[in-house]
Amino acid sequence: EVQLVESGGGLVQPGGSLRLSCAASGFSFSRYWMSWVRQAPGKGLEWVANKKEDGSEKYYVDSVKGRFTISRDNAKNSLYLQMNSLRGEDTAVYYCARVGAVGFWYFDLWGRGTLVTVSS
Amino acid sequence: SYELTQSPSVSVSPGQTASITCSGDKLGKKYVCWYQQKPGQSPILVIYEDTKRPSGIPERFSGSNSGNTATLTISGTQAMDEADYYCQAWDSNTVVFGGGTKLTVL
C-alpha cells in the first residue's frame, strides 16, 4: 500500500526540541521530492519545508529558517524534521507529503499527521 | 512574499454548481492545485496543474486558471463535497497555500 506514516509528535516546552519522522512505503521514495506541511488548530495549511530526491536542495518557510532542519534517509525510506527552539506558534499537526511532480509542485500523497503541542 | 487569497466561505444547494476562487498576482502564469479537507482528515488533491483531476476524483470537480484568478468548480454538488478547500501554487522556491474556503452544502 502506498502510504506515509508520521511519528514523533507530542508535548514540548517552549524552547525545546522535537524530531518528527515520516516512513514511506509502497513507492520509490528516492525518486520524489518530499515536504512537511503543518496546520495549526482550526487554521489553514502552511508549507514548512521541501527536500530534493537526492538531498542536495532544501527550502524552508521563513518562520522556521534557522530552527528547523529537514533531512531524509533514502535507504530507510524516511523523511525527518528536526525542530529546535520551538515556540507556541509551532503548535500544529505536521503532515508529511509527497511532491507529485517537480516543476508543478503539488502534493499527491499525504500522511495522517502527527500533533506537536508547544506549551509550558 | 507571494500571497493567495480565498473567500472564507461559500454556500451551495445540493445539485447546484459551486465556484471557489483563488486570487494572486499573475496567478495565471503559475500552476495551481486544489485540495479538499474534511474535518479530522488529511488533505486530498482534487485538481493539479490548473485543470487535471487525479485518479479517483469525480468528474464534477474541474479547475481553471487565468489572469489573477484560479477557480475550482464543483458541478452537481453533493452533500459529501462539504469540506474545506485550499488552493496552492509555487513561487520562488516556496510553496504557498490560500487561506482556505469552507464549502457548505445547504
Side-chain angles (χ1 to χ4, degrees), chain A residues 36-69:
Chain A
W36 289 99
V37 177
R38 67 184 179 183
Q39 186 170 35
K43 302 298 184 182
L45 301 172
E46 180 184 37
W47 168 75
V48 174
N50 277 347
K51 186 81 168 179
K52 192 176 180 181
E53 306 98 322
D54 63 2
S56 62
E57 294 181 41
K58 53 188 175 182
Y59 302 99
Y60 300 92
V61 67
D62 286 347
S63 60
V64 309
K65 285 179 181 176
R67 300 188 300 123
F68 290 11
T69 302

Side-chain angles (χ1 to χ4, degrees), chain A residues 2-55:
Chain A
V2 177
Q3 64 177 354
L4 299 169
V5 179
E6 303 92 338
S7 61
L11 175 63
V12 61
Q13 293 187 341
S17 298
L18 211 55
R19 189 194 194 209
L20 305 183
S21 299
C22 169
S25 59
F27 65 98
S28 297
F29 178 76
S30 62
R31 297 176 61 182
Y32 291 88
W33 279 72
M34 296 295 297
S35 296
W36 289 99
V37 177
R38 67 184 179 183
Q39 186 170 35
K43 302 298 184 182
L45 301 172
E46 180 184 37
W47 168 75
V48 174
N50 277 347
K51 186 81 168 179
K52 192 176 180 181
E53 306 98 322
D54 63 2

Side-chain angles (χ1 to χ4, degrees), chain B residues 34-65:
Chain B
W34 292 89
Y35 303 93
Q36 176 194 70
Q37 186 180 34
K38 296 181 179 180
Q41 298 184 18
S42 304
I44 296 172
L45 181 70
V46 295
I47 294 290
Y48 67 101
E49 293 179 31
D50 294 341
T51 61
K52 299 180 180 179
R53 273 180 297 105
S55 175
I57 300 303
E59 292 185 7
R60 63 179 181 273
F61 288 88
S62 63
S64 64
N65 184 21

